[in-house]
Amino acid sequence: MIRSRIPNTITLLNLFCGCLALISIFTGQIEWLPLFVTVSLITDYIDGLVARLLKVSSDLGRELDSLADMISFGAVPGAMFYYMINQTYGNKQVLFTDSSTYISLIGFVITIFSCLRLAKF
């Protein structure tokens, strides 16, 4: 019983690191971003490997993996591009006050297409 939960726990670590990456972006502490993204990448690889080694699988695990990937590899890159574009236009922190904040939202196109890809597969 515990064996079947190990891969999901690893997947949740992927999700947690994705959340920490988002926090690091929106608080301007992007020096932490490489660490959180790297741990997300490693745990995303390891969860599937561990599931195969333990010969366990579940519908919950598959769904959880997609949701964690959406945060770590969809929302995080979109937020990072938003942050980078926002920095280029003078670090405006107020949403929808002028055209530069609308331009920054283009960064989330990555998030939208990541979601479409994960939904498709």
Side-chain angles (χ1 to χ4, degrees):
M1 190 67 155
I2 291 176
R3 270 176 31 152
S4 65
R5 295 182 187 195
I6 294 171
N8 290 348
T9 303
I10 296 169
T11 301
L12 290 173
L13 182 58
N14 171 6
L15 175 64
F16 182 65
C17 286
C19 292
L20 292 175
L22 286 173
I23 291 168
S24 72
I25 292 166
F26 288 119
T27 59
Q29 298 174 314
I30 58 170
E31 64 273 7
W32 289 96
L33 190 62
L35 171 68
F36 297 137
V37 170
T38 300
V39 174
S40 288
L41 283 166
I42 292 168
T43 54
D44 185 45
Y45 175 76
I46 290 174
D47 65 356
L49 182 66
V50 168
R52 286 186 293 279
L53 287 172
L54 295 176
K55 296 180 176 136
V56 295
S57 69
S58 69
D59 291 337
L60 173 66
R62 282 186 286 281
E63 295 298 325
L64 194 60
D65 187 62
S66 289
L67 293 170
D69 288 351
M70 182 56 216
I71 298 299
S72 297
F73 309 115
V76 170
M80 188 63 215
F81 275 102
Y82 167 84
Y83 177 84
M84 290 169 42
I85 294 168
N86 205 25
Q87 291 295 311
T88 301
Y89 283 98
N91 195 20
K92 296 185 176 41
Q93 297 298 321
V94 181
L95 191 59
F96 307 124
T97 57
D98 59 28
S99 63
S100 67
T101 56
Y102 290 111
I103 292 169
S104 297
L105 294 174
I106 290 171
F108 288 107
V109 169
I110 293 170
T111 304
I112 293 166
F113 283 103
S114 294
C115 185
L116 286 171
R117 183 198 166 280
L118 286 168
K120 188 174 182 179
F121 298 105

